[in-house]
Each structure stands twice: as C-alpha cells, then as structure tokens.
C-alpha cells in the first residue's frame, strides 16, 4: 500500500515516514521545504534502509497534486503540511487561513477527483475550548473558542474534512488531535529543528543545553497547578508516529469521520520537564520566571482511552526517554539539519 505524506520533511512528518516504512508501506513524501529540510528525508532513508519518492511542491499546487495522483496509486494520505507557529499566526492571520485552509481543500479535491478517499489529518489539542473545560480532555469535550488563528485553522480544517466525509459515503477521515509532541528518533539522526527562536518549550530547553540560548524563560509560575507552572501532556514523537500507522489501518477499515486524541494522559509541569531534561542530559538548564504568555492555559492533558479502545494504540515511551532522545538529537546536531544556522 502507498501512503502520500504531505509535509513529510517536517518534524512529525519525517518520524511518521520512518514508522510507515518500517511497517512496510510505500511512502511518497511531498513538502515545499518552507519550514523543513530535505536532509531529514535523506536521514529517514539512512534509518530505515528504504527509499521513498519525494516531490518538492506546495499542497496548494494543484498541478503538482494531480501529477502525483496520476503517477501513483495512493491508498491513503497523511496531511501534515501547514503553518504551525501559534505566535506567528496572531501576527499573520490571513497567511495562516489562506495556507492552512486552501491546502486542505485543494488536497481533498484532488483526492476526490482521483478516487483516493482516505485521509489522516494532523489536528491539535488546541481545538479544545480549554478556557471552559477541565482536563483531561476527551474527544467529546467542547471545541472552539480557540485562542489564536493557528488553532482556528485546525478547528476549521477538521470541520471541512468532516463535511467532506459526510458528502461521500466512501470517504474516511481520521482527525488526530496531538497534545505536545517532543523527543526524537533514538538514532539521533532526525529531530525537531525549528527555524529562528523556538516557540515551544522542549526545543528551547535543548538549545539552552547545547549553548545556543543563554537561559530558559519560564512563562509564569502563578498558575493553579502542582508547582505554579503550566502543565501539558508531552508525548514522544515516535509514539505519535506509531499512532499514525494505527490511524491508517483504521481508515482502511472504516468510512466516515473519526477523531482521536494522541496523548499520554499524563501532565507534566514546565519545572518537571526542566528537571527531567537536566537528569537525562547531565546539563544544568538556567531559567528565569517571567510573566505568563498571553493565551496560555494552566493545565492541558488528554483522556487517551478512545484511542486505546478503537485505534488499539497507547503511548509507550516515558518522560526520561523523551528527554534522552531530545538531547541525543540536539547534541549530535547542535545547529539542526543545516549545520551552520543562518536565521538565528
Ligand atoms: C508548553 C508549556 C508554556 C516555551 C503549542 C500549540 C500546540 C502545539 C504545541 C503545534 C506552556 C511553557 C514554553 C518557553 C515556557 N503546536 N513555555 N517557556 O503552548 O502547550 O502548545 O505547541 O503543533 O498546538 O498550542 O506548547 O511548548 O509552547 O508550551 O515556559 O520558552 O511551556 O507556557 O506552559 P503549547 P509550548
């Protein structure tokens, strides 16, 4: 079976390509490389010993999409491609809505036209109405009331795909709501490589550890949580990747739209993450407590029981492994894939 992976050169996309190849799927990757490096795909080949086709193109490029579907029998698509920086989305909302929604619509249209009716979508826990519900979040919890355009694009894309599935009985859509992906493949060959100053906690910590950043700013310690700092459901990116393989199996056996959380069900605070990373890396992480980041929630973690029951998937890797694998990637690739960074 052949799987098209849009955004396949990205952090979660590249790790998912590893799991797909190791599960004996044929993989075709597509990425415009606007926020990723083709080097990641070369290293996927090194890890798996398998090859895959790669097309450097935007998902909005309808000719490129038709070309891929005309020349390959694609059985299922996993759609990662999209802009994903929460802060940037508040500064550039129109670009985020155009890119993230238009690419999903172009992809679903091309799939319909070519008789490819199974899609796994990279959604996010950010679609939950976190200001009005209490963790743990089950898939049935209230969604919407998103705090940023990035979150709204995930919310809207889920609805676009839900309506597409409702319009065609052959369509199978699986919306996967990620919590907080961190970590790296244990080989240390692929990992998270954000452009510029990292928005997210773990890549910022690992860049402090490797000497690229002076210290961590802890965004507030006055939340109503175990130690006052923000609590999140961190999940190893390889557990997330394996969840996608299960979602492909589910999509092959079901039609209609389904939604699943990909999380561990356990919440860790910022300070617990710092401590765990220091233990795994042996490196002290200096930090200062600063004001809260606007839009942040106190506590956000999943109820993963539906994924266990229906996807037959649960996260297996613990926090120590997440930190150890993050450090193994970062210390072996202090400047990410591009070697000498140009954009810091
Ligand atoms: C985690 C915790 C911060 C950075 C977002 C998106 C989500 C997904 C993951 C894309 C919070 C604190 C962070 C720092 C800090 N994005 N923090 N100092 O905000 O839970 O989720 O990223 O796929 O959709 O919403 O993740 O890693 O930014 O923050 O103290 O330098 O770490 O306040 O409590 P978040 P995060």
């Amino acid at each position: 079976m052949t799987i098209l992976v849009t955004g396949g050169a990205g952090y979660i996309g590249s790790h998912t390509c590893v799991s797909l190849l190791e599960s004996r799927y044929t993989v075709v990757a597509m990425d415009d490389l606007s926020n990723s490096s083709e080097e990641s795909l070369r290293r996927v080949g090194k890890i798996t010993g398998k090859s895959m086709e790669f097309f450097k193109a935007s998902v909005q490029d309808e000719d490129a999409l038709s070309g891929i579907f005309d020349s390959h029998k694609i059985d299922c698509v996993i759609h990662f491609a999209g802009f994903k920086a929460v802060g940037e989305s508040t500064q550039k909302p129109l670009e985020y809505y155009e890119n993230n929604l238009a690419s999903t619509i172009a992809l679903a249209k091309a799939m319909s036209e070519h008789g490819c009716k199974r899609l796994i979508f990279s959604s996010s826990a950010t679609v939950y109405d976190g200001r009005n519900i209490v963790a743990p979040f089950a898939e049935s919890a209230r969604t919407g009331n998103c705090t940023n355009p990035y979150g709204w694009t995930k919310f809207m894309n889920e609805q676009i795909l839900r309506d597409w599935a409702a319009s065609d009985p052959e369509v199978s859509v699986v919306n996967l709501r990620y919590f907080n992906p961190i970590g790296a493949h244990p080989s240390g060959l692929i990992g998270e490589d954000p452009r510029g100053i990292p928005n997210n906690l773990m890549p910022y910590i690992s860049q402090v550890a490797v000497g690229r950043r002076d210290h961590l700013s802890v965004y507030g310690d006055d939340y109503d949580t175990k130690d006052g700092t923000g609590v999140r459901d961190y999940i190893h990116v390889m557990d997330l990747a394996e969840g996608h393989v299960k979602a492909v199996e589910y999509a092959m056996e079901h039609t209609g739209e389904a939604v699943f959380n990909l999380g561990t069900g356990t919440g860790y605070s910022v300070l617990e993450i710092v401590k765990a990373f220091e233990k795994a890396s042996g490196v002290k992480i200096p930090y200062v407590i600063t004001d809260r980041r606007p839009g942040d929630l106190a506590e956000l973690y999943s109820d993963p029981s539906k994924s266990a029951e229906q996807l037959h998937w649960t996260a297996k890797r613990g926090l120590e492994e997440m930190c150890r694998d993050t450090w193994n990637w970062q210390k072996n690739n202090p400047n990410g894939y591009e070697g000498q960074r140009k954009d810091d």
Side-chain angles (χ1 to χ4, degrees):
M1 269 179 47
T2 301
I3 313 293
L4 171 62
V5 180
T6 76
Y11 172 42
I12 300 168
S14 54
H15 286 80
T16 301
C17 287
V18 168
S19 294
L20 288 167
L21 290 166
E22 288 179 343
S23 301
R24 298 198 188 334
Y25 287 101
T26 300
V27 174
V28 175
M30 178 181 195
D31 200 305
D32 65 5
L33 301 180
S34 62
N35 191 26
S36 55
S37 164
E38 193 175 351
E39 175 61 19
S40 68
L41 295 175
R42 281 190 281 274
R43 297 190 186 186
V44 167
K46 214 167 159 186
I47 290 167
T48 60
K50 297 175 189 282
S51 61
M52 63 180 155
E53 277 191 88
F54 170 61
F55 292 87
K56 181 178 184 295
S58 160
V59 180
Q60 291 185 63
D61 179 343
E62 294 177 9
D63 292 340
L65 279 174
S66 292
I68 291 170
F69 283 107
D70 286 341
S71 53
H72 300 77
K73 181 184 175 305
I74 303 291
D75 296 288
C76 183
V77 178
I78 304 180
H79 181 34
F80 291 108
F83 294 161
K84 59 163 225 170
V86 169
E88 185 185 55
S89 77
T90 53
Q91 292 147 17
K92 301 178 179 174
L94 301 181
E95 288 86 339
Y96 266 69
Y97 285 116
E98 181 177 47
N99 183 68
N100 289 6
L101 302 185
S103 55
T104 302
I105 293 166
L107 175 63
K109 282 170 67 179
M111 290 173 69
S112 275
E113 286 153 17
H114 292 82
C116 175
K117 304 280 181 98
R118 299 183 188 92
L119 186 138
I120 317 295
F121 175 61
S122 163
S123 189
S124 167
T126 201
V127 306
Y128 288 113
D129 181 4
R131 289 177 287 190
N132 294 297
I133 56 176
V134 178
F137 297 171
E139 289 83 352
S140 54
R142 195 158 72 178
T143 58
N145 199 20
C146 301
T147 58
N148 55 78
Y150 159 79
W152 278 118
T153 67
K154 292 297 188 184
F155 177 87
M156 292 172 186
N157 271 330
E158 281 197 10
Q159 191 57 48
I160 289 166
L161 295 172
R162 195 167 292 128
D163 290 340
W164 178 44
S167 73
D168 179 341
E170 292 178 2
V171 168
S172 177
V173 165
V174 179
N175 284 312
L176 296 178
R177 292 176 182 163
Y178 310 161
F179 281 74
N180 288 60
I182 60 171
H185 187 270
S187 65
L189 287 172
I190 57 175
E192 190 168 9
D193 181 21
R195 298 269 158 101
I197 300 171
N199 299 295
N200 297 134
L201 178 66
M202 188 55 100
Y204 202 103
I205 288 174
S206 64
Q207 288 190 14
V208 170
V210 82
R212 280 176 63 187
R213 307 285 165 199
D214 180 50
H215 64 274
L216 171 72
S217 298
V218 175
Y219 297 148
D221 66 348
D222 57 351
Y223 287 103
D224 181 15
T225 61
K226 55 184 100 171
D227 60 17
T229 62
V231 170
R232 296 292 184 274
D233 181 334
Y234 297 94
I235 174 171
H236 197 295
V237 67
M238 287 314 297
D239 277 325
L240 200 75
E242 289 161 11
H244 285 75
V245 177
K246 290 292 187 186
V248 168
E249 290 169 14
Y250 182 93
M252 299 310 291
E253 292 154 14
H254 297 79
T255 56
E257 182 258 1
V259 57
F260 295 103
N261 286 335
L262 293 188
T264 66
T266 302
Y268 290 106
S269 74
V270 174
L271 295 182
E272 285 176 320
I273 296 291
V274 170
K275 197 153 153 263
F277 188 90
E278 289 179 332
K279 186 161 176 268
S281 64
V283 179
K284 190 93 183 95
I285 303 296
Y287 65 84
V288 293
I289 305 289
T290 65
D291 293 339
R292 295 182 176 189
R293 179 171 63 180
D296 271 357
L297 299 171
E299 200 146 23
L300 198 153
Y301 57 91
S302 66
D303 169 353
S305 54
K306 184 183 174 191
S307 294
E309 286 149 23
Q310 297 185 27
L311 279 188
H312 313 299
W313 168 92
T314 49
K316 300 192 294 283
R317 297 161 177 89
L319 184 57
E320 193 280 330
E321 201 168 344
M322 296 180 214
C323 294
R324 185 197 67 203
D325 292 341
T326 300
W327 180 231
N328 187 37
W329 149 256
Q330 188 74 83
K331 74 172 188 290
N332 288 304
N333 302 272
N335 292 308
Y337 290 113
E338 305 298 334
Q340 203 48 46
R341 300 300 290 186
K342 297 177 284 298
D343 55 0
D344 272 6

